Amino acid sequence: QVQLVESGGGSVQAGGSLRLSCAAWGYTYSSYCMGWFRQAPGKEREGVAGFDSDGSTTYADSVKGRFTISKDNAKNTLYLQMNSLKPEDTAIYYCAAVKIPSSIYDVSFWLRFGYWGQGTQVTVSS
């Protein structure tokens, strides 16, 4: 059974940094696409950053240049380094995975994720 557990959320002031981690169990980590999503109050969940089957990365326009997704296959852990945080980054951040081979160039890439962590809260104050 696939299990994803996020950590590293918290409260920071605008301009600060946080690093989220996602520990994964129950599957061959390297064979899955992995990603980070977020959901702010009153808004739909959106894809933030992701790896596809080839290891290529994609980012939401709103976080490009500020967020970096990375992974350590040996540790089965996914990371999201978030710099220059803004109040609009405030949300619950979710780690997600999908086993179906997928490409970041597929328009349905963000819709394919089917395994989810419980989420971790990130709050950025102005």
Side-chain angles (χ1 to χ4, degrees), residues 1-5 22-35 73 76-78 95-99 115-116:
Q1 182 176 357
V2 176
Q3 293 186 347
L4 303 170
V5 180
C22 172
W25 290 275
Y27 62 97
T28 304
Y29 182 79
S30 60
S31 66
Y32 279 60
C33 300
M34 301 292 297
N73 289 338
N76 271 17
T77 302
L78 183 74
C95 174
V98 56
K99 190 176 183 180
Y115 298 99
W116 300 90

Side-chain angles (χ1 to χ4, degrees), residues 49-102:
F51 278 104
D52 71 4
S53 303
D54 293 331
S56 299
T57 56
T58 187
Y59 296 90
D61 288 343
S62 58
V63 306
K64 283 181 181 177
R66 299 188 299 121
F67 290 12
T68 302
I69 189 171
S70 62
K71 58 181 177 175
D72 186 331
N73 289 338
K75 295 182 178 180
N76 271 17
T77 302
L78 183 74
Y79 302 99
L80 184 67
Q81 178 67 44
M82 305 185 294
N83 298 328
S84 302
L85 283 161
K86 305 175 181 180
E88 51 264 43
D89 295 317
T90 295
I92 299 175
Y93 284 71
Y94 298 91
C95 174
V98 56
K99 190 176 183 180
I100 301 171
S102 302

